[in-house]
Structures are given as C-alpha cells and as structure tokens.
Amino acid sequence: MPERSASPENEFFHVLKTQQFDRSLLDGLCELTTTVRRYAKHREGLHFLRGLLSEKRAMLYFTQPSTRTFLSFNNACQILGIQTSEIRDSATSSEVKGESLLDSLRTFSSYVDVVIMRTKEEGLAESAAELFDRIHRRVPIVNAGSGKDQHPTQALLDIYTLERSFMHRGGIDGKVIGMMGDLKRGRTVRSLSYLMKNYRDVKLVFISPPAFRMEEDIKAHLREHGVTFTETEDMEAALPSLDAIYITRIQDEHDVSGESSKVDLSRFKFRVEHLAKLKEDGVIMHPLPRRDEIHPDVDNDPRAKYWRQERNGMWMRVAILTKIFGVDRYLQQGSLLD
C-alpha cells in the first residue's frame, strides 16, 4: 500500500466549519461512514481498519470540557491504529509559562500528523490552520468545537443520523426539521443550520425563548440560500408538522450575568405526553449532554435517536480521518465486504 498523507490540495485537508461542505461531500461521507461500519462488523475488517493509519499520530487538544466528542475521536483514532497524545487542561502545558497558544500548537505539529482541537475560543481552529499552512510541516486541523460558533463534525454526524432515519422516506430532502432550546449560543444547531442549504425543500422551525433565538447571521445565510424557516415559542403547536426535532440544552456556560436563570424554560422541555403529537415516523435528536429538556422515559420510544446519534459520531469521525489522509479509497474498493 503506498504512503498515506494528507494532501494540501485535498478539500479535506482541514475540517474547520460546515460552510466548506457541499451535497456531494455530505453524501460521500455518509456512504463512507456506512462502509466503515460494515468493515467493523468482522474481525478481518477491524484488523484492516487498524492498519490503515497505524503510522500516524494525533494530538487531542481538548481544553474545553468534553465527554462524547473526546471519546469518539479517541476511539476513532484507535480503530484506525492512530496513536494519540492529549492535553485536556491548558494548565498542564507551557501556556502557564506564558507560551502563546499558537506557539503551543506549532509545537504539536512537530510531533503529530493531525491536531484535533476543542476550545472555548471562536475562530481558533481557523487561526491554527492558517499558521500550519505557512510552516514547513503542514498538519491538518480538525475543529472539534470552537466557542459558541462551530462544531462541524457534530453537524456531520447529525446529517448522517437524519439520513439514516429518513432512508426509507427519501432522505433529508423535503423534511421539516425543528430546532429547540438555546439557539443563540448552541454551536450544534448553528453548524447544522449551515448545512441545510445542501438539501432540497427543507423547512426549519426554530423553537426558543425570545432571549435565545437563532442569531441573525444564520438567518441571513438561510435567506441567501433560499432555505425556509419560521420562529415560534410554541413547541406543542409546532410538533405535529415536524419530521424531526433537534433539542438542545441551555448553554449557561456562556452566561455573562446569569441571564439563563432569568428565562422561563418550562415550555421547552420534551415529555412523554408530547410523543402523541409527534409523527409516527418522526425523529427526536439531542447532541448531549442533556439535563431535564428530555425526560428519560422518552428514551424508550423508537423515535428517540440521540443514543444512536452519539454512537454514529464515532463512525463518522473514523470516516473523516480516513478522508483526511486519503485512505478512504481503500475502503471504497470493498474487497473485504464481498
């Protein structure tokens, strides 16, 4: 097998924001994720996956708290044989000695082949990518969550979950998708909204308290690309029209003056009694972690896809890494699946 490396000409060299994805890329990634899952069902397939990138090393720079994203990326690396290093707290790095974060990141590039980063600073992944593009050893950056702005790999696994859920109903095209909760500061719903321009006749329903409405930059993007959306505070009235509802928690870690505690959130919680208002083939999603915005008894309903959504994240991230390093073509040959 020839040497595998991330090519600067590859459209997947960096994964920074959802605006970089078109329909062809999204469809291809969904197909690739399903292929990865098929390989992983067999011992021979798992062995093949583990050898694909066994010469590569990854830095997991996660200075913002994370459970699912960190674990799914860490396990995705293990599935592909990638060795990992990690920093979970900037206090354990030379940043405490006054080193700039970009200098720290440049140091990582000397030791690893990809940097996967999750930080509270918006735009930091893009700044790191610009730096790496200028240095002698270019290393791809994967944005695993930046501030309140972007979470592109979450949006990709959300697309995959929606496509799988609607696979017998024509996919995402033509569906009505509700997004409920803290839409102002929720980077998952922001990132997913950016992708909706790639699907035909999709309608979005934003359900939130006035204080946490979707911000104007997203709404301007949707208008520019002809994506229909409405806004409401009435979840119960909106539910019967929805093919999917994507529920998010209140992002109070971004509070400046305790504003979250001043908002009545009681009307934005999904309970068992709401299941009767949702379509029989509807979909309930949540990026997790949840608090009390979805009652645990809802988990037993087959329309609740958030635990499947979580597991899809690992497989989508395997697919992303194979595409970054150009080994996806070996999977698509499919000889082990025959």
Side-chain angles (χ1 to χ4, degrees):
M1 194 177 289
E3 181 180 355
R4 287 71 55 92
S5 61
S7 167
E9 289 73 35
N10 186 342
E11 56 200 334
F12 245 84
F13 187 71
H14 300 299
V15 178
L16 301 175
K17 54 186 180 179
T18 49
Q19 292 95 311
Q20 74 188 80
F21 297 99
D22 60 20
R23 179 65 179 267
S24 177
L25 272 173
L26 293 170
D27 289 348
L29 268 175
C30 288
E31 181 179 349
L32 180 58
T33 301
T34 298
T35 299
V36 167
R37 291 175 61 185
R38 291 174 64 200
Y39 270 91
K41 289 181 179 179
H42 308 284
R43 178 179 297 180
E44 295 85 354
L46 281 170
H47 181 74
F48 179 77
L49 290 170
R50 199 170 295 119
L52 278 175
L53 294 171
S54 58
E55 79 282 13
K56 300 298 183 184
R57 298 179 299 277
M59 167 59 77
L60 301 177
Y61 182 79
F62 275 62
T63 56
Q64 189 179 42
S66 172
T67 300
R68 276 150 293 276
T69 305
F70 176 83
L71 286 175
S72 65
F73 264 119
N74 192 46
N75 280 278
C77 288
Q78 291 176 14
I79 288 168
L80 292 168
I82 301 173
Q83 299 180 66
T84 61
S85 304
E86 63 181 72
I87 291 179
R88 304 295 300 272
D89 186 343
S90 58
T92 65
S93 76
S94 290
E95 290 175 55
V96 298
K97 302 176 184 178
E99 181 174 60
S100 73
L101 178 51
L102 288 179
D103 277 0
S104 293
L105 290 167
R106 183 161 185 171
T107 298
F108 303 158
S109 74
S110 298
Y111 305 124
V112 301
D113 302 290
V114 59
V115 175
I116 303 164
M117 56 189 299
R118 180 188 183 100
T119 68
K120 64 181 180 180
E121 292 87 359
E122 295 178 19
L124 182 58
E126 293 179 70
S127 297
E130 291 172 4
L131 170 67
F132 283 14
D133 285 347
R134 296 196 302 269
I135 64 179
H136 69 284
R137 187 169 187 268
R138 297 186 66 195
V139 172
I141 292 283
V142 179
N143 181 358
S146 57
K148 299 176 287 185
D149 185 43
Q150 283 275 352
H151 198 348
T153 64
Q154 175 71 46
L156 294 174
L157 74 92
D158 292 340
I159 286 292
Y160 182 67
T161 303
L162 286 168
E163 283 283 18
R164 295 278 293 180
S165 299
F166 296 140
M167 63 188 302
H168 300 300
R169 298 176 55 197
I172 296 172
D173 291 331
K175 301 301 183 292
V176 181
I177 300 172
M179 300 185 184
M180 183 174 77
D182 190 343
L183 308 184
K184 178 180 181 180
R185 304 176 298 184
R187 61 190 174 195
T188 61
V189 287
R190 288 176 52 83
S191 294
L192 185 57
S193 294
Y194 275 125
L195 290 179
M196 290 298 105
K197 68 179 176 65
N198 295 293
Y199 297 92
R200 296 185 301 275
D201 302 322
V202 166
K203 297 179 181 178
L204 300 179
V205 180
F206 295 138
I207 308 165
S208 71
F212 298 133
R213 285 177 179 159
M214 185 64 78
E215 291 200 309
E216 185 56 36
D217 61 334
I218 297 293
K219 292 188 282 189
H221 175 86
L222 296 174
R223 293 188 195 101
E224 177 185 353
H225 293 280
V227 180
T228 301
F229 68 89
T230 58
E231 297 180 275
T232 182
E233 299 173 44
D234 192 340
M235 175 190 67
E236 294 202 20
L239 274 177
S241 69
L242 302 181
D243 295 293
I245 181 167
Y246 191 111
I247 302 167
T248 67
R249 65 178 175 84
I250 295 301
Q251 311 283 310
D252 51 10
E253 67 267 32
H254 299 299
D255 278 4
V256 176
S257 57
E259 55 264 34
S260 296
S261 63
K262 302 172 186 176
V263 177
D264 179 12
L265 302 173
S266 59
R267 293 178 297 145
F268 305 94
K269 301 179 189 297
F270 196 96
R271 298 289 178 259
V272 172
E273 57 267 25
H274 296 132
L275 290 168
K277 295 180 177 291
L278 189 64
K279 292 179 179 180
E280 289 185 3
D281 52 3
V283 176
I284 306 166
M285 296 174 62
H286 193 300
L288 302 175
R290 66 174 166 186
R291 294 175 181 171
D292 62 350
E293 60 274 2
I294 300 181
H295 194 281
D297 288 348
V298 175
D299 297 1
N300 299 320
D301 192 282
R303 292 169 290 184
K305 304 296 186 184
Y306 31 89
W307 295 112
R308 183 176 301 176
Q309 179 184 356
E310 175 192 46
R311 185 158 178 80
N312 285 342
M314 179 178 71
W315 299 121
M316 172 57 76
R317 287 162 176 140
V318 171
I320 289 168
L321 290 167
T322 67
K323 198 157 181 61
I324 284 175
F325 289 108
V327 297
D328 54 307
R329 63 185 182 274
Y330 301 119
L331 292 168
Q332 291 164 343
Q333 290 170 0
S335 58
L336 293 180
L337 300 179
D338 295 338

